[in-house]
Amino acid sequence: MYQQVQHQRQERRNWFARHKVLTGAGALVIVVGLGAAVAPGGNDGGDGGDKASDRVVTSSGSGGAGKSGGGDGARAAGGDDAKAGGSGKAGGSGKGGLSGNGTFRVGSDIKPGTYRSVGNKADDNCFWERAKDAKGEADSIITNDNVVGTGYVTIAAGDKIFKTRGCKKWEPATDKPGGTPRTSVPGDGMYRVGVDIAPGTYTSGGNGADSNCYWERTKDALHGIDSIEANENVAGNGLVTIAPQDAYFKTSGCTAWKKTG
């Protein structure tokens, strides 16, 4: 019980760290009163149905940065280690994706790179965690998040463990659009700019003060403080311009975003 409480406290600190609001003056204002990513629990060594030793997933994408490059961390996640996995032919089971439940070793069970999980519902309680070891302690956590809708995460070459609970399967992300990028997206999810969502100015109307509507423009999918380019809490009408050089647009608790310019 003590260990689980420690996890939850650390995850709350991590959430507040990720959800700092950048003001026009460059100051940081910590967002308060919102929820935190809370681990659903379970055995740190469990694999949620797929044996970790039998599941090696490789990333065929460019890694974490999308168009913007994302700095050294994103390059490490999508660089040589990610390319070594290729399309999954050498890795064994890359085509099948990774189970949404389990604890996996980075480098042997899953290769570094950027992964996507689609179709997660709010009551699925989808949760993921990047960790530096398998001790299951608060200090083990690098970053974590709860996912509703589509989620992206870049697993860096220096990570040791990737933990996931209640999620749809994780598959290597692609840089290529499956069709024309959308100009309207749900208010919950993470979208790759130029792939899932077109750049431009978007509005989200009718957000209640208690809806905890939040958006974030990011330069990578590492989910660290340095990943955030700009973010905001919204009550009422929301307005954001997603730049072509942004890598991702992340939103939670909002009404649908529609392109207006």
Side-chain angles (χ1 to χ4, degrees):
M1 176 64 69
Y2 172 79
Q3 200 172 60
Q4 183 177 4
V5 170
Q6 288 296 99
H7 267 297
Q8 293 174 354
R9 288 175 179 171
Q10 179 63 31
E11 287 153 7
R12 182 173 293 273
R13 287 195 292 269
N14 287 353
W15 192 94
F16 283 128
R18 288 199 306 278
H19 292 71
K20 290 184 177 180
V21 174
L22 307 179
T23 68
L28 292 174
V29 180
I30 297 179
V31 180
V32 297
L34 302 183
V38 178
N43 189 334
D44 287 341
D47 58 34
D50 285 324
K51 291 182 179 180
S53 60
D54 296 332
R55 177 69 69 180
V56 179
V57 176
T58 61
S59 174
S60 58
S62 65
K67 297 179 181 179
S68 67
D72 292 339
R75 285 195 295 271
D80 293 339
D81 285 336
K83 291 178 181 177
S87 61
K89 294 179 180 179
S93 56
K95 290 184 179 180
L98 183 76
S99 170
N101 291 286
T103 301
F104 305 98
R105 296 163 295 182
V106 177
S108 57
D109 303 324
I110 184 170
K111 297 296 183 183
T114 299
Y115 294 83
R116 183 176 78 156
S117 176
V118 179
N120 297 285
K121 299 178 181 179
D123 57 2
D124 290 337
N125 294 321
C126 171
F127 169 86
W128 62 258
E129 176 183 305
R130 296 168 49 222
K132 62 184 180 182
D133 55 47
K135 294 179 180 179
E137 299 175 351
D139 290 341
S140 301
I141 300 169
I142 301 173
T143 57
N144 60 12
D145 202 13
N146 288 329
V147 177
V148 177
T150 298
Y152 283 89
V153 60
T154 293
I155 301 172
D159 297 352
K160 300 300 182 183
I161 297 293
F162 179 67
K163 182 183 295 186
T164 172
R165 298 285 187 274
C167 303
K168 305 300 182 184
K169 69 178 180 180
W170 293 93
E171 298 180 311
T174 177
D175 292 333
K176 297 180 180 180
T180 302
R182 299 170 64 181
T183 56
S184 176
V185 294
D188 289 287
M190 187 171 180
Y191 307 100
R192 198 159 193 165
V193 178
V195 176
D196 303 321
I197 186 173
T201 299
Y202 287 76
T203 60
S204 169
N207 295 287
D210 58 351
S211 64
N212 293 330
C213 172
Y214 170 83
W215 64 258
E216 183 178 296
R217 294 167 45 228
T218 71
K219 64 183 180 181
D220 56 46
L222 291 166
H223 295 268
I225 295 176
D226 292 341
S227 301
I228 301 172
E229 294 180 306
N231 60 4
E232 188 175 34
N233 288 325
V234 176
N237 190 64
L239 181 69
V240 58
T241 296
I242 301 172
Q245 63 268 27
D246 293 341
Y248 297 91
F249 176 66
K250 184 178 180 181
T251 172
S252 61
C254 304
T255 60
W257 290 93
K258 298 181 180 179
K259 190 173 184 291
T260 59

